[in-house]
């Protein structure tokens, strides 16, 4: 499916892939505001989010990568800098593995490299937090307005213990494009990627940012922007001052 997409600025395309229950315009705000002066910023709503309405979420990351590839083709984008966090990282990773010609560089954050030993307990706590979310009428009304009907189905997908694609995140050895893994130091299960990925592939660069966790781009936006900009400058025609 073609994803609803907002485009800002002009130049080399950079695609920001949002986190769960956000949209292209409600996430990575500090990043697209920063980069749009010299890049063509591409902000898609991923499948089942925002105006990219779909109730078919069963094969989410695989279909999400195909959606993104088809959308970039439709927009005439041959290849782009792909930047994602959490589910956006996972969709970006699937895109890079299956359609590497579409990915000039890849930036990932909010992603676990392997299945934690206490994954069952971690997942249980996540589901309980989601259930609390559903009990709040104001939050439900906000997501209804943001995504329309059906957004709860995405939570249903996340509630499945085996829904996280560890078989994909555990192996980045085949990536040939320049890749940046940014991690907030406070998330122990994600910081393991700094070691796992750092010695895995010469194309992978690592940045550990203090005083941040899963949502490092929103918790430390200025530091994140500087790190990302320095990475992109090495592989772009332009950078941001």
């Amino acid at each position: 499916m073609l994803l609803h997409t907002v485009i800002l600025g002009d130049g080399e395309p950079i695609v920001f892939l949002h986190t769960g229950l956000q949209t292209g315009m409600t996430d990575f705000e500090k990043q697209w505001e920063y980069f749009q002066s010299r890049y063509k910023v591409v902000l898609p709503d991923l499948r089942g989010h925002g105006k990219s309405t779909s109730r078919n979420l069963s094969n989410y990351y695989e279909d999400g990568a195909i959606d993104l590839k088809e959308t970039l083709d439709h927009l005439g984008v041959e290849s782009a800098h792909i930047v994602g966090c959490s589910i956006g990282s996972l969709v970006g990773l699937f895109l890079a593995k299956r359609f590497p010609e579409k990915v000039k560089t890849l930036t990932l954050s909010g992603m676990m490299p392997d299945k934690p030993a206490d994954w069952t307990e971690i997942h249980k706590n996540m589901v309980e937090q989601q259930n609390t979310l559903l009990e709040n009428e104001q939050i439900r009304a906000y997501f209804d307005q943001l995504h329309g009907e059906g957004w709860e189905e995405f939570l249903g997908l996340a509630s499945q213990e085996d829904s996280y694609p560890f078989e994909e995140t555990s192996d980045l050895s085949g990536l040939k494009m320049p890749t940046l893994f940014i991690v907030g130091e406070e998330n122990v299960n994600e910081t393991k990627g700094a070691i796992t990925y750092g010695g895995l592939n010469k194309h992978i660069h690592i940045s550990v940012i203090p005083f941040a966790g899963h949502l490092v781009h929103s918790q430390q936006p200025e530091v994140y922007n500087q790190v990302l900009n320095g990475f992109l400058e090495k592989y772009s025609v332009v950078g941001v001052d």
Side-chain angles (χ1 to χ4, degrees):
M1 65 178 285
L2 294 180
L3 302 173
H4 175 267
T5 304
V6 174
I7 298 177
L8 305 170
D10 195 21
E12 285 191 35
I14 178 172
V15 181
F16 289 102
L17 302 177
H18 61 78
T19 57
L21 295 184
Q22 294 299 318
T23 71
M25 290 296 289
T26 62
D27 203 1
F28 281 101
E29 291 178 273
K30 295 296 184 181
Q31 284 69 48
W32 55 256
E33 289 172 356
Y34 182 83
F35 286 97
Q36 67 175 316
S37 64
R38 296 194 187 180
Y39 289 85
K40 176 185 288 186
V41 173
V42 181
L43 304 171
D45 294 347
L46 296 175
R47 174 179 289 242
H49 291 75
K51 296 181 180 179
S52 296
T53 305
S54 176
R55 291 182 178 273
N56 181 11
L57 308 180
S58 59
N59 197 23
Y60 193 82
Y61 303 112
E62 193 86 40
D63 288 343
I66 295 172
D67 293 343
L68 187 54
K69 194 264 186 186
E70 291 179 349
T71 301
L72 293 177
D73 287 344
H74 178 73
L75 295 172
V77 175
E78 293 184 4
S79 67
H81 303 287
I82 304 295
V83 182
C85 179
S86 195
I87 70 162
S89 273
L90 297 173
V91 171
L93 178 61
F94 272 67
L95 178 77
K97 287 189 172 187
R98 286 148 181 79
F99 307 103
E101 72 280 2
K102 305 303 291 184
V103 183
K104 185 168 185 179
T105 69
L106 179 64
T107 298
L108 306 169
S109 65
M111 191 178 83
M112 289 181 282
D114 49 33
K115 189 174 184 178
D118 58 344
W119 173 242
T120 297
E121 184 64 26
I122 292 172
H123 184 264
K124 178 182 176 181
N125 291 335
M126 289 170 55
V127 172
E128 289 176 353
Q129 291 173 7
Q130 291 172 2
N131 291 337
T132 300
L133 202 69
L134 293 174
E135 294 171 0
N136 188 306
E137 292 185 5
Q138 288 184 325
I139 292 177
R140 289 178 65 93
Y142 170 74
F143 286 133
D144 284 342
Q145 180 271 328
L146 195 62
H147 305 292
E149 295 182 359
W151 62 269
E152 294 164 349
E153 294 184 29
F154 178 77
L155 292 183
L157 170 69
S159 69
Q160 301 172 27
E161 188 174 340
D162 62 351
S163 64
Y164 201 93
F166 289 110
E167 70 282 358
E168 298 282 343
T169 63
S170 64
D171 184 9
L172 306 191
S173 60
L175 297 180
K176 303 301 181 185
M177 72 287 295
T179 299
L180 173 63
F181 181 70
I182 304 181
V183 62
E185 67 169 356
E186 295 173 358
N187 193 306
V188 175
N189 291 314
E190 292 175 3
T191 54
K192 292 179 180 178
I195 298 173
T196 303
Y197 299 146
L200 185 68
N201 185 326
K202 66 179 181 180
H203 300 292
I204 297 178
H205 307 274
I206 304 295
S207 177
V208 180
I209 296 180
F211 310 112
H214 182 64
L215 302 177
V216 61
H217 66 287
S218 61
Q219 294 163 333
Q220 288 287 358
E222 294 181 0
V223 179
Y224 182 99
N225 289 350
Q226 291 296 323
V227 171
L228 177 57
N229 182 59
F231 171 67
L232 293 179
E233 281 186 332
K234 294 183 179 296
Y235 306 104
S236 305
V237 176
V238 296
V240 176
D241 292 333

